[in-house]
Amino acid sequence: MSGDRRTVVLADLHLVRGTPPEVSQDLARLLADHAGARVVFAGDLFDLSSEAPGMPRPKALREALGVHAVVRAALAEHVDRGGELWLVGGNHDAEVGDDGFGGELSSALGLSREAQGRVRTTPWFFREGGLHIEHGHLYDPDNAPAHPLVSGQRSLGVHFVEEFIAPTGAHRYLQANDQTPLKLFLSAFTWYGPRAPYVIYRYFHAAIGAVLQSGPFYQDRGEAEGADARVARFAEAAGVGREVADALLGLSATPTMESVARTFSRLYFDRVLATLSLGAGATAMALGKRGVGAAALAGGAMAMAVSWAAGHNRYAGTVTERLATSAAGVAEATGARLVVFGHTHKEALGERYANTGSFSFPRGAPGRPFVEVEGTGTFPRAVTRYWGQRAA
């Protein structure tokens, strides 16, 4: 924080063509209500990976802002009138951190040269005084990149967005990525009706592709090459010591797709295969092939029992827990007084860790969540706010 400028942090708007207009309108009102403030989007303001995975970045950005003209106008007005705009790259809009994105955004917003100086972007984190802000996906194995400063092979999460959600338009699954496949498949018929079989087919297509690209086939594509120099340059530009960046790298998660076994397990393929074995066994028994049927049923039942012994839902809540633990690690390792993440779509508020939740997907909250940073630059503190909070 600098001087008495207010700092507001929000995240995970996931702006796509189908985003309800009330989300854009609420964001515009929030910006107007915080004139002159520093507004930080802590990742996933856009959802370029699901809307335009193959589209050139400037065109994708202009189309996203073109659909949400209210947002474009509100952002431009906010910066033109002296407010600051900081953007952190998330797992769904990593392009935000690319060289030149700030200029492309400023151009799309039609900002003057003087106003452009109030727009900042980062591929990793912002650090000022005791305040540390990043998206948080670096600590989530399913969405962690091999390196935060190198654009390499897709994470499991981005793979599914580009290979499953983008082709099907099944954006509701962005909110249900910690559910079991069976629940997701059943939900497909409720959410997508006649398109459900195609949605389920694309899920398996993406899942099989992920397994085939994991382990020894999950290549770094040069992530390590030149990474050390990139870290040194980033640390200098971010105004932190190299030891801070190295400490954060040491806390980052190992991508799920680096292991075939972890990828296989994460996608519940053991349970899928057990179900297929049970079905095949029942069919064989009905056709009079008792020996084959009994063996298939026994194998399927055993595999299902082993799978369930590992937990009905192995992943519910784990990302939330991981980020809370990682935030404590960031604070301890780097001396941050307040760590602010997004990514989980679930608010959190503590003395040294806050999570913005998702502005677009409040999940039963009393309004659209965001974080306001108060206190001093050395000792910042977070307050959770809810835009449009409903009366009790």
Side-chain angles (χ1 to χ4, degrees):
M1 293 179 291
S2 59
D4 296 324
R5 186 184 290 275
R6 299 167 72 187
T7 297
V8 174
V9 189
L10 59 160
D12 296 280
L13 279 86
H14 293 276
L15 292 179
V16 294
R17 284 187 290 268
T19 298
E22 54 265 28
V23 175
S24 298
Q25 293 161 5
D26 282 345
L27 176 58
R29 294 188 188 103
L30 182 144
L31 289 167
D33 192 59
H34 291 80
R38 171 179 299 155
V39 176
V40 184
F41 290 98
D44 291 353
L45 168 59
F46 304 107
D47 208 326
L48 302 178
S49 58
S50 69
E51 279 284 271
M55 188 181 294
R57 187 182 63 206
K59 182 180 180 182
L61 175 64
R62 290 182 182 279
E63 287 202 0
L65 291 173
V67 171
H68 299 282
V70 171
V71 172
R72 185 197 63 75
L75 291 172
E77 183 176 7
H78 178 76
V79 181
D80 277 335
R81 293 190 174 184
E84 293 185 2
L85 181 62
W86 293 10
L87 282 80
V88 181
N91 51 305
H92 289 277
D93 62 358
E95 297 90 342
V96 163
D98 289 352
D99 292 340
F101 186 90
E104 291 167 4
L105 177 62
S106 295
S107 175
L109 296 178
L111 299 179
S112 66
R113 182 176 297 276
E114 186 269 336
Q116 290 178 24
R118 293 190 290 275
V119 176
R120 293 180 59 188
T121 66
T122 180
W124 191 357
F125 63 85
F126 284 122
R127 185 67 176 261
E128 188 170 58
L131 178 64
H132 180 99
I133 303 174
E134 63 179 298
H135 184 55
H137 62 297
L138 190 64
Y139 312 104
D140 171 11
D142 289 348
N143 289 286
H147 194 283
L149 298 178
V150 182
S151 179
Q153 185 141 339
R154 299 175 297 184
S155 66
L156 181 63
V158 173
H159 170 87
F160 262 83
V161 167
E162 296 188 0
E163 301 297 331
F164 168 53
I165 291 177
T168 62
H171 292 100
R172 294 190 68 167
Y173 283 104
L174 290 172
Q175 287 296 302
N177 57 11
D178 61 352
Q179 300 298 319
T180 62
L182 178 59
K183 186 171 183 178
L184 297 180
F185 298 156
L186 294 175
S187 298
F189 290 93
T190 301
W191 294 341
Y192 302 110
R195 292 201 302 122
Y198 175 66
V199 170
I200 294 171
Y201 157 72
R202 287 299 311 194
Y203 174 88
F204 277 107
H205 179 273
I208 293 170
V211 173
L212 294 177
Q213 295 174 35
S214 64
F217 301 103
Y218 185 78
Q219 299 174 1
D220 288 342
R221 297 184 184 176
E223 268 85 346
E225 186 177 346
D228 188 70
R230 287 173 183 256
V231 172
R233 289 195 299 269
F234 177 86
E236 182 178 3
V240 300
R242 174 63 189 269
E243 66 277 5
V244 169
D246 286 339
L248 294 173
L249 285 174
L251 293 169
S252 62
T254 300
T256 299
M257 286 182 64
E258 285 193 5
S259 165
V260 175
R262 287 200 304 272
T263 305
F264 190 89
S265 176
R266 176 64 182 91
L267 298 171
Y268 289 91
F269 266 122
D270 53 340
R271 200 166 296 176
V272 171
L273 294 178
T275 301
L276 292 175
S277 181
L278 289 170
T283 301
M285 293 287 283
L287 295 174
K289 299 180 179 180
R290 295 185 176 274
V292 174
L297 284 171
M302 182 176 295
M304 186 65 76
V306 171
S307 177
W308 274 68
H312 165 60
N313 188 335
R314 305 167 188 163
Y315 303 101
T318 57
V319 175
T320 301
E321 295 165 1
R322 279 181 180 274
L323 263 65
T325 301
S326 297
V330 170
E332 181 178 356
T334 70
R337 300 298 305 179
L338 175 62
V339 177
V340 182
F341 290 157
H343 186 58
T344 66
H345 292 200
K346 185 174 182 179
E347 309 96 276
L349 183 64
E351 183 179 353
R352 301 189 71 176
Y353 169 55
N355 195 293
T356 63
S358 171
F359 191 82
S360 287
F361 306 102
R363 285 190 169 184
R368 301 192 185 279
F370 63 98
V371 166
E372 190 154 359
V373 181
E374 299 181 344
T376 66
T378 304
F379 294 99
R381 65 176 184 273
V383 179
T384 299
R385 310 285 191 196
Y386 295 97
W387 184 256
Q389 183 168 7
R390 297 182 291 274

